[in-house]
């Protein structure tokens, strides 16, 4: 078997080892930039099963859906996908509903929003009075988004219960998102009853499995997947980081035992992870950062 996945996944701590360590021990694990890159690997290795280990939100799910559709059309029989895709709304609801969250406002991720649209975040403003600004990825985008969020507070709109969703990334994101991508995902995926998140636990209707029509390319239908549960390392406080209860540097092992090259928790693996971002770019004076909160 050849296992393919995104580069980020190679260093994620597993139940015993990371995929990088498994590869060093001799397993054929390859990282790809796109799930489509796994199809030529399957064609070039007809005597082997090629599995794509799919992860990510609605940002990466459409490319997995395209790959599954192409595998179906081209009849690539030795290829399958182990889908661990997730959707944005259920974990956001879980975080805001958790009761212990310290999150006052959200910067909406522009790449997710380009697929799901700004309307997908309306519930945060309408049901929870949390302002959202969907934002691009340039430094000026983020600064403008922070200014727009602060404006909702200083203008008194949030205090009056009138938080809104704003679109700073209008050059890319439309209110309804990418309808073509949404339809393709609807065809290829089915929402799972529940899905376990590291740091957040089980969240209902938050994962995407593969639709029965694509079962021939579903690794869970092809192989016996043991359903191993991997507990978060006891030292890891990703759950508290993700819900805004602590800053990454308040984790006892931040920057010592846990670094981007030796990640203990998932928040330190991807450069987009909160702990990795604070590790790589957290040059802000911490006392100042602690003192500056929206409530002040
Ligand atoms: S610093 Fe590492 S161990 Fe601590 S919360 Fe972040 S990822 Fe988890």
């Amino acid at each position: 078997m050849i296992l393919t996945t995104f580069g980020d996944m190679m260093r994620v701590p597993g139940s015993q080892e990371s995929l990088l360590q498994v590869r060093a021990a001799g397993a054929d694990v390859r990282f790809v930039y796109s799930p489509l890159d796994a199809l030529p690997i399957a064609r070039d290795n007809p005597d082997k099963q090629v599995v794509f280990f799919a992860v990510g939100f609605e940002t990466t799910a459409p490319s997995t859906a395209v790959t599954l559709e192409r595998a179906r059309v081209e009849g690539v029989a030795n290829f399958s996908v182990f889908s661990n895709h997730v959707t944005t709304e259920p974990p956001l609801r879980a975080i805001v509903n958790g009761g212990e969250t310290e999150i006052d406002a959200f910067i909406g991720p522009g790449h997710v929003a380009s697929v799901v649209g700004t309307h997908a975040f309306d519930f945060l403003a309408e049901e929870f009075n949390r302002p959202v600004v969907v934002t691009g990825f340039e430094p000026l985008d983020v600064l403008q988004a922070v200014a727009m969020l602060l404006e909702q507070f200083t203008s008194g709109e949030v205090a009056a219960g009138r938080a809104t969703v704003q679109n700073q990334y209008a050059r890319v994101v439309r209110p309804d998102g990418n309808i073509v991508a949404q339809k393709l995902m609807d065809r290829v995926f089915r929402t799972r009853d529940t899905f376990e998140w590291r740091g957040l636990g089980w969240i209902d209707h938050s994962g995407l499995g593969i639709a029965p029509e694509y079962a021939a390319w579903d690794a869970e239908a092809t192989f016996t997947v043991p359903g191993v549960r991997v507990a978060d390392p006891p030292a890891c406080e990703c759950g508290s980081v993700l819900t805004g209860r602590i800053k990454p540097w308040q984790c006892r092992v931040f920057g010592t035992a846990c670094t981007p090259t030796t990640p203990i928790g998932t928040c330190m693996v991807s450069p987009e992870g909160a702990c990795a971002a604070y590790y790589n770019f957290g040059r802000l004076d911490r006392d100042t950062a602690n003192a500056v909160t929206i409530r002040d």
Side-chain angles (χ1 to χ4, degrees):
M1 174 193 286
I2 300 172
L3 183 70
T4 60
T5 191
F6 293 129
D8 283 353
M9 288 306 300
M10 302 292 281
R11 291 182 299 113
V12 173
S15 52
Q16 295 172 11
E17 297 168 295
S18 67
L19 289 176
L20 211 52
Q21 291 167 313
V22 170
R23 185 171 75 168
D28 196 343
V29 183
R30 307 182 190 184
F31 78 83
V32 290
Y33 292 105
S34 160
L36 284 168
D37 294 343
L39 288 181
I41 295 174
R43 285 192 213 96
D44 292 345
N45 295 274
D47 56 329
K48 291 187 176 175
Q49 289 288 327
V50 175
V51 177
F52 177 66
F53 181 30
V55 295
F57 287 92
E58 292 93 338
T59 42
T60 52
S63 59
T64 300
V66 167
T67 305
L68 281 163
E69 178 61 12
R70 187 170 294 181
R72 185 188 69 79
V73 169
E74 297 180 3
V76 185
N78 63 326
F79 171 77
S80 59
V81 170
F82 180 27
S83 176
N84 284 261
H85 282 300
V86 289
T87 51
T88 310
E89 181 174 335
L92 284 176
R93 279 189 180 278
I95 288 171
V96 180
N97 267 329
E100 299 174 1
T101 176
E102 295 289 335
I103 298 174
D104 298 292
F106 289 87
I107 290 179
H111 50 1
V112 171
S114 68
V115 176
V116 300
T118 59
H119 286 323
F121 298 93
D122 285 348
F123 71 97
L124 286 168
E126 292 170 359
E127 298 177 36
F128 301 100
N129 196 38
R130 298 295 209 286
V132 180
V133 175
V134 171
T135 308
F137 294 90
E138 298 297 330
L140 275 179
D141 290 327
V142 178
L143 285 173
Q144 186 180 15
V146 172
M148 291 165 74
L149 286 172
L150 290 173
E151 174 65 20
Q152 290 203 39
F153 285 92
T154 56
S155 65
E157 289 297 297
V158 175
R162 292 194 295 265
T164 58
V165 177
Q166 295 174 285
N167 186 6
Q168 184 277 338
Y169 204 27
R171 64 187 187 274
V172 172
V173 175
R174 295 189 293 270
D176 292 323
N178 184 331
I179 303 296
V180 173
Q182 292 169 22
K183 285 183 175 173
L184 183 60
M185 286 194 294
D186 286 347
R187 190 161 82 227
V188 169
F189 296 116
R190 289 292 176 274
T191 303
R192 298 180 190 272
D193 291 338
T194 189
F195 193 76
E196 187 174 22
W197 293 62
R198 296 180 84 170
L200 295 176
W202 293 92
I203 300 177
D204 289 349
H205 311 303
S206 64
L208 295 175
I210 293 174
E213 294 81 1
Y214 293 81
W217 298 273
D218 182 356
E220 289 177 88
T222 306
F223 304 100
T224 303
V225 181
V228 173
R229 295 187 62 193
V230 181
D232 289 316
C236 181
E237 299 186 72
C238 265
S240 295
V241 170
L242 292 172
T243 52
R245 280 174 281 168
I246 65 167
K247 298 288 187 191
W249 65 66
Q250 292 172 306
C251 170
R252 285 159 294 163
V253 292
F254 174 82
T256 53
C258 185
T259 69
T261 50
T262 57
I264 289 178
T266 48
C267 306
M268 189 61 95
V269 174
S270 161
E272 296 176 359
C275 294
Y278 270 81
Y279 183 88
N280 289 324
F281 307 109
R283 301 185 184 94
L284 186 67
D285 176 77
R286 292 177 185 177
D287 293 334
T288 306
N290 276 329
V292 177
T293 70
I294 287 173
R295 290 192 187 87
D296 291 339

